[in-house]
Structure formats: structure tokens, C-alpha cells
Amino acid sequence: MNIVDQWLPENVYCYSQVFCTDDYAEIMNLSPDLALNMKSILPEALVNTSQARQVSYLAGRGCALSALKIAGDVPRSTLGRTSKGLPDWPQGFVGSISHAMVERNGVAIAVVARSNEHQSIAIDCEPVFSIDHSNELAPLTASVNEQRLGERLEISRELWLTMVYSLKETLFKLLYAHVNCFMPFEAAEILSFDVATQQACLMLTVDWGDLPVGQRFWLQVKEVDIEVFGRCVVSFGAK
């Protein structure tokens, strides 16, 4: 299953899955080896957490394995973790994983590309925020200019603030491999958004390592309505 293939670059490979956390066996069927290696796959921080969190994590890893296979990687049963807990992509590949939950339903998505074609790629999936949650997050994630941009574009406040959050999460994932750290939300600002192409321009508001303030990046964002799961926002970036 793929929910964003129609607007991903041709050299980026994607796999996604909608799941219910009650259907544990269904997640395991995505890659039977996940069940056999579950103890070694789950981070220590998730070993004693709820089944919902564990299933969501495993679904993301399963999607990553499927995306790697589509990209031409040799079949593998696990995807390791770096010392910082991030996915340890096999040599010759870069990738990104995202998963989101709404009550017992979830969606996981992974994208993969060859490292000789992209230095980094990033994907993020977020359920559309409620208006109350949007108002709570707005002061923390969106500048006044960004909030006014959404108003000028006549995009509903809850959808726009979800998009702002998702786009910045995607940018931070995209640049993490370069700067080796995550940045606060105010470290980037959305300058423009083209409703027709669904492309946003983000600008760095501070220096990120050797990336100078003012550098711009163009990311894609799309609202997707997924059966069972509901409305969500998916953002993608590549460099």
C-alpha cells in the first residue's frame, strides 16, 4: 500500500500500512521475522510500553524493510539502530520512517532512496490536529507570520497548523544527518506555500552548523484522507 507515491520523485521508494493496534498478528504478517526478532528490534525504552506503541514501532520497521526490498536491497529481516536510536540504513541507502496513531488505529510509512541519488530524504505523517490542540501548539510551533500566511491562503487553522508542524518535522529530519542535532521549531520559518503544487518554501532563521541563516528548502506536503484512520498530513523532503 502506498499513499503518497503519486507525488514522490521516481527514485524514491515508499511503502505504507494502515493498521489497528488490536490486530497484532496483522503487523507480524508484514514481516514474520519481526515476530522472531521482536526483543532485539524494540528499543529498550519501548520494551515495557503499551502494545499500541510497540505495534506502531514495528509497523514502521516493517514498512522500511518493504521499501528497501522495492528499492532493490537484498531481503533482510531486521533494520538496526544507530547509537542515537535512529534507523541504521544499509550501505548505499538513505531513508526515513514515520508513524502516527489515532486511538487504536495507526498509519506507518517509510521512504527509501539510493545514497548516490540523494544525500538525505525525510517523511512525516501527522493526524490533522483538533482546533483545541492547534491553539495549544500554535505559540510553540508557528510564528505570527506563519499563522497569518495560513489565514491569507484561507486554509483552516487546524489543517494549516498541522502542516506547519509536519513540514518543520520533515525539515529537521532531512537536515539531521548534516548537522547531527535537532533544532527548535523557531529555527525555521515557512515563507510561502503554493496551494496548486502543494510545495512549501522553508527558510533557516539561524545558522545550522555550516548551513547559513537564510538558506531555503522546498518541501512537499499533502492532506490525505485514509479509510479508518481519517485525515492526516504527509510531508516529504529530499536533498
Side-chain angles (χ1 to χ4, degrees):
M1 173 190 174
N2 293 305
I3 59 177
V4 293
D5 264 0
Q6 63 271 28
W7 51 271
L8 289 176
E10 290 185 1
N11 56 4
V12 173
Y13 305 91
C14 174
Y15 194 92
S16 57
Q17 183 185 28
V18 178
F19 59 90
C20 175
T21 56
D22 294 339
D23 298 331
Y24 197 74
E26 181 181 339
I27 304 301
M28 295 299 96
N29 286 337
L30 182 63
S31 177
D33 289 325
L34 288 177
L36 297 175
N37 298 286
M38 187 173 70
K39 288 185 178 180
S40 62
I41 293 172
L42 283 174
E44 185 177 348
L46 293 183
V47 170
N48 296 316
T49 58
S50 67
Q51 177 174 301
R53 289 193 65 188
Q54 293 181 5
V55 168
S56 181
Y57 180 88
L58 293 173
R61 282 305 196 268
C63 287
L65 295 174
S66 296
L68 282 166
K69 185 177 179 180
I70 296 170
D73 184 35
V74 296
R76 60 183 68 242
S77 60
T78 61
L79 180 65
R81 297 189 301 274
T82 67
S83 59
K84 295 190 176 182
L86 300 174
D88 189 11
W89 300 99
Q91 185 174 3
F93 292 93
V94 293
S96 181
I97 303 172
S98 184
H99 37 78
M101 298 290 303
V102 175
E103 297 180 349
R104 292 189 309 237
N105 295 315
V107 59
I109 183 169
V111 288
V112 170
R114 294 189 176 276
S115 56
N116 62 353
E117 296 179 322
H118 289 289
Q119 297 176 30
S120 177
I121 59 174
I123 195 85
D124 183 71
C125 181
E126 305 288 342
V128 174
F129 301 153
S130 67
I131 188 62
D132 288 341
H133 190 42
S134 299
N135 289 333
E136 290 175 2
L137 285 180
L140 304 174
T141 60
S143 68
V144 172
N145 287 338
E146 287 171 325
Q147 294 182 55
R148 288 173 178 168
L149 175 59
E151 293 170 359
R152 291 198 301 272
L153 294 170
E154 298 183 340
I155 299 174
S156 70
R157 182 170 174 81
E158 58 269 32
L159 176 58
W160 175 246
L161 289 172
T162 308
M163 293 168 68
V164 171
Y165 182 93
S166 184
L167 283 164
K168 290 186 178 183
E169 283 286 310
T170 302
L171 180 65
F172 299 163
K173 288 182 181 181
L174 183 68
L175 300 183
Y176 182 87
H178 186 87
V179 299
N180 204 33
C181 67
F182 288 112
M183 301 292 284
F185 282 101
E186 62 267 23
E189 185 166 65
I190 299 172
L191 297 181
S192 64
F193 177 65
D194 188 319
V195 175
T197 63
Q198 299 181 310
Q199 187 177 68
C201 176
L202 286 79
M203 181 186 75
L204 304 187
T205 59
V206 297
D207 293 334
W208 291 32
D210 61 353
L211 298 176
V213 60
Q215 186 162 343
R216 301 183 182 192
F217 298 86
W218 284 262
L219 307 182
Q220 295 290 136
V221 62
K222 182 178 180 66
E223 181 187 6
V224 182
D225 194 357
I226 304 174
E227 187 177 358
V228 180
F229 183 78
R231 295 168 66 212
C232 65
V233 166
V234 180
S235 301
F236 172 80
K239 65 185 289 285

